[in-house]
Coordinates of all heavy atoms in Angstrom, one line a residue:
C9 N 3.9 -1.8 -2.7 CA 5.0 -1.1 -2.1 C 4.9 0.4 -2.4 O 4.5 0.8 -3.4 CB 6.3 -1.6 -2.6 SG 7.8 -0.6 -2.4
I10 N 5.2 1.2 -1.4 CA 5.0 2.6 -1.5 C 5.9 3.2 -2.6 O 5.6 4.1 -3.3 CB 5.3 3.3 -0.1 CG1 4.8 4.8 -0.2 CG2 6.7 3.2 0.3 CD1 3.3 4.9 0.0
C11 N 7.1 2.6 -2.7 CA 8.0 3.0 -3.8 C 7.4 2.8 -5.2 O 7.5 3.7 -6.0 CB 9.3 2.3 -3.7 SG 10.6 2.9 -4.7
D12 N 6.7 1.7 -5.4 CA 6.1 1.4 -6.6 C 5.0 2.5 -6.9 O 4.9 3.0 -8.0 CB 5.4 0.1 -6.7 CG 6.4 -1.1 -6.8 OD1 7.6 -0.8 -7.2 OD2 6.0 -2.2 -6.5
M13 N 4.3 2.8 -5.9 CA 3.2 3.8 -6.0 C 3.8 5.2 -6.4 O 3.2 5.9 -7.3 CB 2.3 3.9 -4.8 CG 1.5 2.6 -4.6 SD 0.7 2.6 -3.0 CE -0.6 3.7 -3.3
A14 N 4.9 5.6 -5.7 CA 5.5 6.9 -6.0 C 6.1 6.9 -7.4 O 5.9 7.9 -8.2 CB 6.6 7.1 -5.0
F15 N 6.7 5.8 -7.8 CA 7.3 5.7 -9.2 C 6.2 5.7 -10.2 O 6.3 6.2 -11.3 CB 8.2 4.6 -9.3 CG 9.6 4.8 -8.7 CD1 9.9 6.0 -8.1 CD2 10.6 3.8 -8.8 CE1 11.2 6.2 -7.6 CE2 11.8 4.0 -8.3 CZ 12.2 5.2 -7.7
E16 N 5.1 5.0 -9.9 CA 4.0 4.9 -10.9 C 3.4 6.3 -11.1 O 3.2 6.7 -12.2 CB 2.9 4.0 -10.3 CG 1.7 4.0 -11.3 CD 0.4 3.5 -10.6 OE1 0.3 3.7 -9.4 OE2 -0.5 3.1 -11.3
K17 N 3.3 7.1 -10.0 CA 2.8 8.5 -10.1 C 3.7 9.3 -11.0 O 3.3 10.0 -11.9 CB 2.7 9.1 -8.8 CG 2.1 10.5 -8.8 CD 2.0 11.1 -7.4 CE 1.5 12.5 -7.5 NZ 1.5 13.2 -6.2
K18 N 5.0 9.2 -10.8 CA 6.0 9.9 -11.6 C 5.9 9.5 -13.1 O 6.0 10.3 -14.0 CB 7.4 9.7 -11.1 CG 7.7 10.4 -9.9 CD 7.9 11.9 -10.1 CE 8.6 12.6 -9.0 NZ 8.7 14.0 -9.3
A19 N 5.8 8.2 -13.3 CA 5.6 7.7 -14.7 C 4.4 8.3 -15.4 O 4.5 8.7 -16.5 CB 5.6 6.1 -14.7
K20 N 3.3 8.3 -14.7 CA 2.1 8.9 -15.3 C 2.2 10.3 -15.6 O 1.8 10.8 -16.6 CB 0.9 8.6 -14.4 CG 0.5 7.1 -14.4 CD -0.8 6.9 -13.5 CE -1.2 5.5 -13.7 NZ -2.4 5.2 -12.9
E21 N 2.9 11.1 -14.6 CA 3.2 12.5 -14.9 C 4.0 12.7 -16.1 O 3.8 13.7 -16.8 CB 3.9 13.1 -13.7 CG 3.0 13.2 -12.4 CD 3.8 13.6 -11.2 OE1 5.0 13.9 -11.3 OE2 3.2 13.7 -10.1
K22 N 4.9 11.8 -16.4 CA 5.7 11.9 -17.6 C 5.1 11.3 -18.8 O 5.7 11.3 -19.9 CB 7.1 11.3 -17.4 CG 7.9 12.0 -16.4 CD 9.3 11.6 -16.4 CE 10.2 12.5 -15.5 NZ 11.1 13.2 -16.3
G23 N 3.8 10.8 -18.7 CA 3.1 10.3 -19.8 C 3.4 8.8 -20.2 O 3.1 8.4 -21.3
Y24 N 4.1 8.1 -19.3 CA 4.4 6.7 -19.6 C 3.1 5.9 -19.6 O 2.2 6.1 -18.8 CB 5.3 6.1 -18.5 CG 6.7 6.6 -18.5 CD1 7.1 7.9 -19.0 CD2 7.7 5.8 -18.1 CE1 8.4 8.3 -19.0 CE2 9.1 6.3 -18.0 CZ 9.4 7.5 -18.5 OH 10.6 7.9 -18.5
T25 N 3.0 4.9 -20.5 CA 2.0 3.9 -20.5 C 2.6 2.6 -20.8 O 3.7 2.5 -21.3 CB 0.9 4.2 -21.5 OG1 1.5 4.3 -22.8 CG2 0.2 5.5 -21.2
L26 N 1.9 1.5 -20.5 CA 2.4 0.2 -20.8 C 2.2 -0.1 -22.3 O 1.1 0.3 -22.9 CB 1.7 -0.9 -20.0 CG 2.0 -0.8 -18.5 CD1 1.3 -1.9 -17.8 CD2 3.5 -0.8 -18.2
T27 N 3.1 -0.8 -22.9 CA 2.9 -1.2 -24.3 C 2.0 -2.4 -24.3 O 1.7 -3.0 -23.3 CB 4.3 -1.6 -24.9 OG1 4.7 -2.8 -24.2 CG2 5.3 -0.6 -24.8
V28 N 1.5 -2.7 -25.5 CA 0.6 -3.9 -25.6 C 1.3 -5.1 -25.1 O 0.7 -5.9 -24.4 CB 0.1 -4.0 -27.1 CG1 -0.6 -5.3 -27.3 CG2 -0.7 -2.9 -27.6
E29 N 2.6 -5.3 -25.5 CA 3.3 -6.4 -25.0 C 3.5 -6.5 -23.5 O 3.3 -7.5 -22.9 CB 4.7 -6.5 -25.7 CG 5.5 -7.7 -25.5 CD 4.7 -9.0 -26.1 OE1 4.1 -8.9 -27.1 OE2 4.8 -10.0 -25.4
E30 N 3.7 -5.3 -22.9 CA 3.8 -5.3 -21.5 C 2.5 -5.6 -20.8 O 2.4 -6.3 -19.8 CB 4.3 -3.9 -21.0 CG 5.7 -3.6 -21.3 CD 6.1 -2.2 -21.0 OE1 5.4 -1.3 -21.4 OE2 7.2 -2.0 -20.5
C31 N 1.4 -5.1 -21.4 CA 0.1 -5.4 -20.9 C -0.2 -6.9 -20.9 O -0.7 -7.5 -20.0 CB -1.0 -4.7 -21.6 SG -1.1 -2.9 -21.3
K32 N 0.2 -7.6 -22.0 CA 0.0 -9.0 -22.1 C 0.8 -9.7 -21.0 O 0.3 -10.7 -20.4 CB 0.4 -9.5 -23.5 CG -0.5 -9.1 -24.6 CD 0.0 -9.6 -26.0 CE -0.9 -9.2 -27.1 NZ -0.4 -9.6 -28.4
K33 N 2.0 -9.3 -20.8 CA 2.9 -9.9 -19.8 C 2.3 -9.7 -18.4 O 2.3 -10.6 -17.6 CB 4.3 -9.4 -19.9 CG 5.3 -10.1 -19.1 CD 6.7 -9.8 -19.4 CE 7.6 -10.8 -18.8 NZ 9.0 -10.6 -19.2
V34 N 1.8 -8.5 -18.1 CA 1.2 -8.3 -16.9 C 0.0 -9.2 -16.6 O -0.2 -9.8 -15.5 CB 0.7 -6.8 -16.8 CG1 -0.3 -6.6 -15.6 CG2 1.9 -5.9 -16.6
I35 N -0.8 -9.4 -17.6 CA -2.0 -10.3 -17.5 C -1.5 -11.7 -17.3 O -2.0 -12.4 -16.4 CB -2.9 -10.2 -18.8 CG1 -3.6 -8.8 -18.8 CG2 -3.9 -11.3 -18.8 CD1 -4.2 -8.5 -20.1
E36 N -0.5 -12.2 -18.0 CA 0.0 -13.5 -17.8 C 0.6 -13.7 -16.4 O 0.3 -14.7 -15.7 CB 1.2 -13.8 -18.8 CG 0.7 -14.0 -20.2 CD 1.8 -14.1 -21.2 OE1 3.0 -14.1 -20.8 OE2 1.5 -14.0 -22.4
Q37 N 1.3 -12.7 -15.9 CA 1.9 -12.8 -14.6 C 0.8 -12.8 -13.5 O 0.9 -13.6 -12.6 CB 2.9 -11.6 -14.3 CG 4.1 -11.7 -15.1 CD 5.0 -10.4 -15.0 OE1 4.4 -9.4 -14.8 NE2 6.3 -10.6 -15.0
S38 N -0.2 -12.0 -13.7 CA -1.3 -11.9 -12.8 C -2.1 -13.2 -12.7 O -2.4 -13.7 -11.6 CB -2.2 -10.8 -13.2 OG -1.5 -9.5 -13.2
E39 N -2.3 -13.8 -13.9 CA -3.0 -15.1 -13.9 C -2.2 -16.2 -13.2 O -2.8 -17.0 -12.5 CB -3.3 -15.5 -15.3 CG -4.4 -14.6 -16.0 CD -4.6 -14.8 -17.4 OE1 -3.8 -15.5 -18.1 OE2 -5.7 -14.4 -18.0
A40 N -0.9 -16.1 -13.4 CA 0.0 -17.1 -12.7 C -0.1 -17.0 -11.2 O -0.2 -17.9 -10.4 CB 1.4 -17.0 -13.2
I41 N 0.0 -15.7 -10.7 CA -0.1 -15.4 -9.3 C -1.4 -15.9 -8.7 O -1.5 -16.5 -7.7 CB 0.2 -13.9 -9.0 CG1 1.6 -13.6 -9.4 CG2 -0.2 -13.6 -7.6 CD1 1.9 -12.1 -9.4
Y42 N -2.5 -15.5 -9.4 CA -3.8 -15.9 -9.0 C -4.0 -17.4 -8.9 O -4.6 -17.9 -7.9 CB -4.9 -15.3 -10.0 CG -6.3 -15.5 -9.5 CD1 -6.9 -14.6 -8.6 CD2 -7.1 -16.5 -10.1 CE1 -8.2 -14.8 -8.2 CE2 -8.4 -16.6 -9.7 CZ -8.9 -15.8 -8.7 OH -10.3 -16.0 -8.4
A43 N -3.5 -18.1 -9.9 CA -3.6 -19.6 -9.9 C -2.8 -20.2 -8.7 O -3.2 -21.3 -8.3 CB -3.1 -20.1 -11.2
M44 N -1.8 -19.6 -8.2 CA -1.0 -20.1 -7.1 C -1.6 -19.9 -5.8 O -1.3 -20.6 -4.8 CB 0.4 -19.5 -7.1 CG 1.3 -19.8 -8.2 SD 3.0 -19.3 -8.0 CE 2.8 -17.5 -7.7
L45 N -2.6 -19.1 -5.7 CA -3.2 -18.8 -4.4 C -4.4 -19.7 -4.1 O -5.1 -20.1 -5.0 CB -3.7 -17.3 -4.4 CG -2.7 -16.3 -4.5 CD1 -3.3 -14.9 -4.7 CD2 -1.7 -16.3 -3.3
S46 N -4.5 -20.2 -2.9 CA -5.6 -21.1 -2.5 C -6.8 -20.3 -2.4 O -6.8 -19.0 -2.2 CB -5.2 -21.8 -1.2 OG -5.3 -20.9 -0.1
T47 N -8.0 -21.0 -2.3 CA -9.3 -20.3 -2.1 C -9.2 -19.6 -0.8 O -9.7 -18.5 -0.7 CB -10.4 -21.4 -2.1 OG1 -10.3 -22.0 -3.4 CG2 -11.7 -20.7 -1.9
E48 N -8.6 -20.2 0.2 CA -8.6 -19.6 1.5 C -7.7 -18.3 1.5 O -8.1 -17.3 2.1 CB -7.9 -20.6 2.5 CG -7.9 -20.1 4.0 CD -7.3 -21.0 5.0 OE1 -6.8 -22.1 4.5 OE2 -7.3 -20.7 6.2
Q49 N -6.6 -18.3 0.8 CA -5.8 -17.1 0.7 C -6.6 -16.0 0.0 O -6.5 -14.9 0.4 CB -4.5 -17.4 -0.1 CG -3.5 -18.3 0.7 CD -2.4 -18.7 -0.2 OE1 -2.5 -19.1 -1.3 NE2 -1.1 -18.6 0.4
L50 N -7.3 -16.4 -1.1 CA -8.1 -15.4 -1.8 C -9.2 -14.8 -0.9 O -9.4 -13.6 -0.9 CB -8.6 -16.0 -3.1 CG -7.6 -16.4 -4.2 CD1 -8.3 -17.2 -5.2 CD2 -7.0 -15.1 -4.7
E51 N -9.8 -15.6 -0.2 CA -10.9 -15.2 0.7 C -10.4 -14.3 1.8 O -10.9 -13.2 2.1 CB -11.7 -16.4 1.3 CG -12.5 -17.1 0.3 CD -13.1 -18.4 0.8 OE1 -12.9 -18.7 2.0 OE2 -13.9 -19.0 0.1
K52 N -9.3 -14.7 2.4 CA -8.7 -13.9 3.5 C -8.1 -12.6 3.1 O -8.1 -11.6 3.9 CB -7.7 -14.8 4.3 CG -8.4 -15.9 5.1 CD -7.5 -16.6 6.0 CE -8.3 -17.6 6.8 NZ -7.6 -18.1 8.0
T53 N -7.5 -12.5 1.9 CA -6.9 -11.3 1.5 C -7.8 -10.4 0.7 O -7.6 -9.2 0.5 CB -5.7 -11.6 0.6 OG1 -6.1 -12.3 -0.6 CG2 -4.6 -12.4 1.3
G54 N -8.9 -11.0 0.2 CA -9.8 -10.2 -0.7 C -9.3 -10.0 -2.1 O -9.8 -9.2 -2.8
L55 N -8.2 -10.6 -2.4 CA -7.6 -10.4 -3.7 C -8.5 -11.0 -4.8 O -9.1 -12.1 -4.6 CB -6.2 -11.1 -3.8 CG -5.1 -10.4 -3.1 CD1 -3.8 -11.2 -3.1 CD2 -4.8 -9.0 -3.7
T56 N -8.5 -10.3 -5.9 CA -9.2 -10.8 -7.1 C -8.2 -10.7 -8.3 O -7.1 -10.1 -8.1 CB -10.4 -9.9 -7.5 OG1 -10.0 -8.6 -7.8 CG2 -11.4 -9.9 -6.3
I57 N -8.5 -11.3 -9.4 CA -7.7 -11.2 -10.5 C -7.5 -9.8 -11.0 O -6.4 -9.3 -11.4 CB -8.1 -12.1 -11.7 CG1 -7.1 -12.2 -12.8 CG2 -9.5 -11.7 -12.2 CD1 -5.8 -12.8 -12.5
E58 N -8.6 -9.0 -10.8 CA -8.5 -7.6 -11.2 C -7.5 -6.8 -10.3 O -6.7 -6.0 -10.8 CB -9.9 -6.9 -11.1 CG -10.9 -7.4 -12.1 CD -11.5 -8.7 -11.8 OE1 -11.4 -9.2 -10.6 OE2 -12.2 -9.3 -12.7
I59 N -7.6 -7.1 -9.0 CA -6.7 -6.4 -8.1 C -5.2 -6.8 -8.3 O -4.3 -5.9 -8.4 CB -7.0 -6.7 -6.6 CG1 -8.4 -6.0 -6.3 CG2 -6.0 -6.2 -5.6 CD1 -9.0 -6.4 -4.9
I60 N -5.0 -8.1 -8.5 CA -3.6 -8.5 -8.8 C -3.1 -7.9 -10.1 O -2.0 -7.5 -10.2 CB -3.6 -10.1 -8.9 CG1 -3.9 -10.7 -7.5 CG2 -2.2 -10.6 -9.4 CD1 -4.2 -12.1 -7.5
T61 N -4.0 -7.8 -11.1 CA -3.6 -7.2 -12.4 C -3.2 -5.8 -12.2 O -2.2 -5.3 -12.8 CB -4.7 -7.4 -13.4 OG1 -4.9 -8.8 -13.6 CG2 -4.2 -6.9 -14.8
Q62 N -4.0 -5.1 -11.4 CA -3.7 -3.6 -11.1 C -2.4 -3.5 -10.4 O -1.6 -2.6 -10.8 CB -4.8 -3.1 -10.3 CG -4.6 -1.6 -10.0 CD -5.7 -1.0 -9.1 OE1 -6.4 -1.8 -8.4 NE2 -5.9 0.3 -9.2
I63 N -2.1 -4.3 -9.5 CA -0.8 -4.3 -8.7 C 0.3 -4.6 -9.7 O 1.3 -3.8 -9.7 CB -0.8 -5.3 -7.6 CG1 -1.8 -4.8 -6.5 CG2 0.6 -5.4 -7.0 CD1 -2.1 -5.9 -5.4
E64 N 0.2 -5.6 -10.5 CA 1.3 -6.0 -11.4 C 1.5 -4.9 -12.5 O 2.6 -4.6 -12.8 CB 1.0 -7.3 -12.1 CG 1.1 -8.5 -11.1 CD 2.4 -8.7 -10.5 OE1 3.4 -8.7 -11.2 OE2 2.5 -8.7 -9.2
G65 N 0.4 -4.3 -12.9 CA 0.6 -3.2 -13.9 C 1.3 -2.0 -13.3 O 2.1 -1.4 -13.9
R66 N 0.9 -1.7 -12.0 CA 1.5 -0.6 -11.3 C 3.0 -0.9 -11.1 O 3.9 0.0 -11.3 CB 0.9 -0.4 -9.9 CG 1.5 0.6 -9.1 CD 0.7 0.8 -7.8 NE -0.6 1.5 -8.1 CZ -1.7 1.3 -7.5 NH1 -1.8 0.5 -6.4 NH2 -2.8 2.0 -7.8
K67 N 3.4 -2.1 -10.8 CA 4.8 -2.5 -10.6 C 5.6 -2.3 -11.9 O 6.7 -1.8 -11.9 CB 4.9 -3.9 -10.1 CG 4.5 -4.1 -8.6 CD 4.4 -5.5 -8.1 CE 5.5 -6.4 -8.6 NZ 5.2 -7.8 -8.1
R68 N 5.0 -2.8 -13.0 CA 5.7 -2.7 -14.3 C 5.9 -1.2 -14.7 O 7.0 -0.9 -15.2 CB 4.9 -3.4 -15.4 CG 5.5 -3.4 -16.7 CD 6.9 -4.1 -16.7 NE 7.7 -3.7 -17.8 CZ 9.0 -3.2 -17.8 NH1 9.6 -3.1 -16.7 NH2 9.6 -2.8 -18.9
L69 N 4.9 -0.4 -14.5 CA 5.1 1.0 -14.9 C 6.1 1.7 -14.0 O 6.9 2.5 -14.5 CB 3.7 1.7 -14.7 CG 3.5 3.1 -15.5 CD1 3.8 2.9 -17.0 CD2 2.2 3.6 -15.2
A70 N 6.1 1.3 -12.7 CA 7.1 1.8 -11.8 C 8.5 1.4 -12.2 O 9.5 2.1 -12.1 CB 6.9 1.3 -10.4
E71 N 8.7 0.1 -12.6 CA 10.0 -0.4 -13.1 C 10.4 0.4 -14.3 O 11.6 0.7 -14.4 CB 9.8 -1.9 -13.5 CG 9.7 -2.8 -12.3 CD 9.4 -4.2 -12.8 OE1 9.4 -4.5 -14.0 OE2 9.1 -5.0 -11.9
R72 N 9.5 0.7 -15.3 CA 9.9 1.5 -16.4 C 10.4 2.9 -16.1 O 11.4 3.4 -16.6 CB 8.7 1.6 -17.4 CG 8.5 0.3 -18.1 CD 7.9 0.4 -19.5 NE 8.2 1.5 -20.3 CZ 7.2 2.2 -21.0 NH1 6.0 1.9 -20.9 NH2 7.6 3.2 -21.7
Y73 N 9.7 3.5 -15.1 CA 10.1 4.8 -14.7 C 11.5 4.7 -14.0 O 12.4 5.5 -14.3 CB 9.1 5.5 -13.7 CG 9.7 6.8 -13.2 CD1 9.7 7.9 -14.0 CD2 10.2 6.8 -11.9 CE1 10.2 9.1 -13.5 CE2 10.8 8.0 -11.4 CZ 10.8 9.1 -12.2 OH 11.3 10.3 -11.8
A74 N 11.7 3.8 -13.1 CA 13.0 3.6 -12.4 C 14.1 3.4 -13.4 O 15.2 3.9 -13.3 CB 12.9 2.5 -11.4
D75 N 13.9 2.5 -14.4 CA 14.9 2.2 -15.4 C 15.3 3.5 -16.1 O 16.4 3.8 -16.4 CB 14.4 1.2 -16.4 CG 14.3 -0.2 -15.8 OD1 14.9 -0.4 -14.7 OD2 13.7 -1.1 -16.5
S76 N 14.3 4.3 -16.5 CA 14.6 5.5 -17.3 C 15.2 6.6 -16.4 O 16.1 7.3 -16.8 CB 13.3 6.1 -17.9 OG 12.4 6.6 -17.0
A77 N 14.8 6.6 -15.1 CA 15.4 7.6 -14.2 C 16.9 7.4 -14.1 O 17.7 8.3 -14.0 CB 14.7 7.5 -12.8
V78 N 17.3 6.1 -14.0 CA 18.7 5.8 -13.9 C 19.5 6.3 -15.1 O 20.6 6.9 -15.0 CB 18.9 4.3 -13.7 CG1 20.4 3.9 -13.8 CG2 18.4 3.9 -12.3
T79 N 18.9 6.1 -16.3 CA 19.6 6.5 -17.5 C 19.4 7.9 -17.9 O 20.4 8.6 -18.2 CB 19.3 5.6 -18.7 OG1 17.8 5.6 -18.9 CG2 19.7 4.1 -18.4
E80 N 18.2 8.4 -17.9 CA 17.9 9.7 -18.4 C 18.2 10.8 -17.4 O 18.6 11.9 -17.7 CB 16.4 9.8 -18.8 CG 16.1 9.0 -20.0 CD 14.6 8.9 -20.3 OE1 13.8 9.7 -19.7 OE2 14.2 8.0 -21.0
E81 N 17.9 10.5 -16.1 CA 18.1 11.6 -15.1 C 19.4 11.3 -14.3 O 19.7 12.1 -13.4 CB 16.9 11.6 -14.2 CG 15.6 12.0 -14.9 CD 14.4 12.0 -14.1 OE1 14.5 12.2 -12.9 OE2 13.3 11.8 -14.7
D82 N 20.1 10.3 -14.6 CA 21.4 9.9 -14.0 C 21.3 9.9 -12.5 O 22.2 10.5 -11.8 CB 22.4 10.9 -14.5 CG 23.8 10.4 -14.3 OD1 24.0 9.1 -14.1 OD2 24.8 11.2 -14.2
I83 N 20.3 9.3 -11.9 CA 20.2 9.2 -10.5 C 21.2 8.2 -9.9 O 21.4 8.2 -8.7 CB 18.8 8.9 -10.0 CG1 18.4 7.5 -10.4 CG2 17.8 9.9 -10.3 CD1 17.1 7.0 -9.7
A84 N 21.9 7.5 -10.7 CA 22.9 6.5 -10.3 C 24.1 7.2 -9.6 O 24.8 6.6 -8.8 CB 23.4 5.7 -11.4
K85 N 24.2 8.5 -9.9 CA 25.4 9.2 -9.3 C 25.2 9.5 -7.8 O 26.1 9.8 -7.1 CB 25.7 10.5 -10.0 CG 24.6 11.5 -9.9 CD 24.9 12.8 -10.7 CE 23.7 13.7 -10.7 NZ 23.9 14.8 -11.7
Y86 N 23.9 9.4 -7.3 CA 23.7 9.7 -5.9 C 24.0 8.4 -5.0 O 23.8 7.3 -5.5 CB 22.2 10.0 -5.7 CG 21.8 11.3 -6.4 CD1 21.1 11.3 -7.6 CD2 22.3 12.5 -5.9 CE1 20.8 12.4 -8.2 CE2 21.9 13.7 -6.6 CZ 21.2 13.6 -7.7 OH 20.9 14.8 -8.4
T87 N 24.6 8.7 -3.9 CA 24.9 7.6 -3.0 C 23.9 7.5 -1.9 O 23.2 8.5 -1.6 CB 26.3 7.8 -2.4 OG1 26.3 9.0 -1.6 CG2 27.4 7.9 -3.5
R88 N 23.8 6.4 -1.2 CA 22.9 6.2 -0.1 C 23.3 7.0 1.1 O 22.5 7.5 1.9 CB 22.8 4.7 0.3 CG 22.0 4.0 -0.8 CD 21.9 2.6 -0.3 NE 21.2 1.8 -1.4 CZ 20.6 0.7 -1.2 NH1 20.5 0.2 0.0 NH2 19.9 0.1 -2.2
N89 N 24.6 7.1 1.4 CA 25.1 7.7 2.6 C 25.5 9.2 2.3 O 26.7 9.5 2.1 CB 26.3 6.9 3.2 CG 25.9 5.6 3.6 OD1 24.8 5.3 4.1 ND2 26.8 4.6 3.4
R90 N 24.5 10.0 2.2 CA 24.8 11.4 1.9 C 25.2 12.2 3.1 O 25.7 13.3 3.0 CB 23.6 12.0 1.3 CG 23.2 11.5 -0.1 CD 22.0 12.1 -0.7 NE 22.1 13.5 -0.6 CZ 21.0 14.3 -0.7 NH1 19.8 13.8 -0.9 NH2 21.1 15.6 -0.7
Y91 N 25.0 11.7 4.3 CA 25.3 12.4 5.6 C 26.4 11.8 6.3 O 26.6 10.7 6.5 CB 24.0 12.6 6.4 CG 22.9 13.2 5.6 CD1 21.9 12.4 5.1 CD2 22.8 14.5 5.4 CE1 20.8 12.9 4.4 CE2 21.8 15.1 4.7 CZ 20.8 14.3 4.2 OH 19.8 14.9 3.5

């Protein structure tokens, strides 16, 4: 998702990294996703365990940034209908 990519970029700019525990969880989630996909799905999408792990890591880092943005930068005060 484009939002994950944008939040991942912000997280990296602020020096965020995944903890060892988060990395373990990302790997576990990635392996579970990979195991659920059929050979045909893997072939047609070109997904590998490495790509899935990269995506899941990106998503986790984006989640961390989003969580901190709500609390630290107080973005919760903004509404969707500004106009």
Side-chain angles (χ1 to χ4, degrees):
C9 163
I10 193 80
C11 188
D12 287 343
M13 293 173 75
F15 281 1
E16 177 201 26
K17 182 178 178 185
K18 287 288 198 181
K20 286 182 176 181
E21 287 172 3
K22 291 193 172 246
Y24 289 29
T25 58
L26 296 180
T27 65
V28 172
E29 191 59 39
E30 287 172 320
C31 287
K32 288 179 184 177
K33 191 167 190 169
V34 163
I35 291 168
E36 289 172 8
Q37 289 172 327
S38 300
E39 289 171 346
I41 291 167
Y42 185 80
M44 289 188 310
L45 298 172
S46 69
T47 302
E48 183 178 8
Q49 289 172 315
L50 292 169
E51 288 173 359
K52 288 189 177 196
T53 61
L55 288 173
T56 63
I57 188 66
E58 292 82 11
I59 292 170
I60 295 169
T61 303
Q62 182 182 22
I63 292 167
E64 290 301 304
R66 178 176 285 152
K67 285 171 42 182
R68 181 61 198 130
L69 201 56
E71 288 171 7
R72 285 206 35 227
Y73 175 76
D75 289 346
S76 71
V78 169
T79 57
E80 294 171 15
E81 298 177 27
D82 198 21
I83 64 169
K85 67 184 173 188
Y86 297 104
T87 62
R88 289 183 181 200
N89 297 322
R90 292 180 49 198
Y91 304 101

